[in-house]
Amino acid sequence: DAGVTQSPTHLIKTRGQHVTLRCSPISGHKSVSWYQQVLGQGPQFIFQYYEKEERGRGNFPDRFSARQFPNYSSELNVNALLLGDSALYLCASRMGLSTDTQYFGPGTRLTVL
Amino acid sequence: AQKVTQAQTEISVVEKEDVTLDCVYETRDTTYYLFWYKQPPSGELVFLIRRNSFDEQNEISGRYSWNFQKSTSSFNFTITASQVVDSAVYFCALLRGGNNDMRFGAGTRLTVKP
């Protein structure tokens, strides 16, 4: 079975631009979460979506937004990019809402110049 | 508040040595879940184990074993007879029951030298 997939693998943007990252969950999983992992640190929770509704939000500015589609895939959007947004963005899926085990995708490495 | 501390930033061992990665957590909840993930250079977080707060049984899976002690709020991970392929960054994580914000430690970079 296919795992969590993310696209693109790498992305280079300049300050002020916006970016859209995409994630497809494991088949049968209805929940998608997004994490930001800055180099040398552990992942930090950004959003969780379940059944197309936002179910949780971490401590990130409004420049970060996301949505989930009827097929349970998800997009993470970041506007007005800052240098500090450079990171590995990880998507994770799980079957249910909260305590099921999360499985992570390979991530999208975003570099902001 | 919930917090995960992995005090060991980097560990280097020689192949076939045993190594223990420490994880200490803080939470006021009685229901919570603890996880270990492995992150190889490719970047993907690979799930290793999940324990809930009501199950303190230690677990062994091949060369991997986990020691969960609520009395000391620790969930340590031991690799027996380490191999070069075990080289990676290992993360301990905490999820509160009914919550969706998984908190990760800063990770421990393990290097296994041949």
Side-chain angles (χ1 to χ4, degrees):
Chain A
D1 287 342
V4 178
T5 60
Q6 292 185 245
S7 63
T9 306
H10 294 88
L11 205 51
I12 299 175
K13 292 287 189 178
T14 56
R15 281 180 299 175
Q17 287 188 313
H18 72 271
V19 67
T20 298
L21 310 181
R22 295 178 175 81
C23 170
S24 291
I26 292 171
S27 177
H29 286 192
K30 298 182 178 180
S31 171
V32 169
S33 294
W34 287 95
Y35 290 79
Q36 181 196 64
Q37 185 179 17
V38 173
L39 196 62
Q41 297 181 18
Q44 283 201 310
F45 173 73
I46 309 175
F47 284 113
Q48 185 199 19
Y49 275 77
Y50 176 74
E51 291 284 12
K52 301 184 292 293
E53 289 188 9
E54 180 182 307
R55 296 303 189 106
R57 184 183 185 112
N59 189 24
F60 279 82
D62 292 342
R63 299 184 296 107
F64 289 76
S65 64
R67 56 179 175 168
Q68 186 177 34
F69 299 99
N71 66 354
Y72 302 109
S73 67
S74 177
E75 284 182 355
L76 174 70
N77 295 284
V78 187
N79 293 325
L81 285 168
L82 303 174
L83 296 180
D85 295 330
S86 295
L88 180 67
Y89 288 85
L90 294 161
C91 173
S93 78
R94 54 191 169 195
M95 291 186 66
L97 186 57
S98 59
T99 56
D100 295 330
T101 296
Q102 287 191 117
Y103 296 92
F104 285 81
T108 293
R109 184 160 299 281
L110 172 65
T111 301
V112 182
L113 301 176
Chain B
Q2 55 174 359
K3 183 181 176 182
V4 177
T5 301
Q6 295 180 256
Q8 304 150 308
T9 306
E10 295 191 33
I11 299 176
S12 181
V13 298
V14 176
E15 207 169 20
K16 297 184 183 177
E17 283 186 27
D18 298 347
V19 58
T20 295
L21 310 182
D22 298 333
C23 172
V24 174
Y25 62 93
E26 294 177 31
T27 181
R28 295 180 179 177
D29 295 274
T30 56
T31 301
Y32 53 89
Y33 303 82
L34 296 165
F35 301 81
W36 275 95
Y37 284 89
K38 173 182 180 180
Q39 189 174 43
S42 62
E44 182 172 349
L45 283 168
V46 178
F47 166 75
L48 296 178
I49 190 170
R50 158 199 163 115
R51 304 299 285 174
N52 72 54
S53 54
F54 300 109
D55 183 2
E56 284 193 74
Q57 273 194 332
N58 292 328
E59 182 154 338
I60 298 174
S61 176
R63 297 184 297 106
Y64 295 171
S65 62
W66 291 269
N67 185 330
F68 176 27
Q69 291 194 337
K70 288 179 74 172
S71 61
T72 57
S73 296
S74 65
F75 186 42
N76 296 336
F77 173 29
T78 297
I79 301 175
T80 303
S82 60
Q83 299 177 0
V84 173
V85 293
D86 296 327
S87 296
V89 180
Y90 290 86
F91 290 97
C92 180
L94 168 68
L95 181 66
R96 293 158 54 197
N99 197 273
N100 44 34
D101 178 358
M102 181 178 276
R103 296 293 177 94
F104 285 82
T108 297
R109 179 177 297 278
L110 173 65
T111 301
V112 182
K113 299 178 181 178

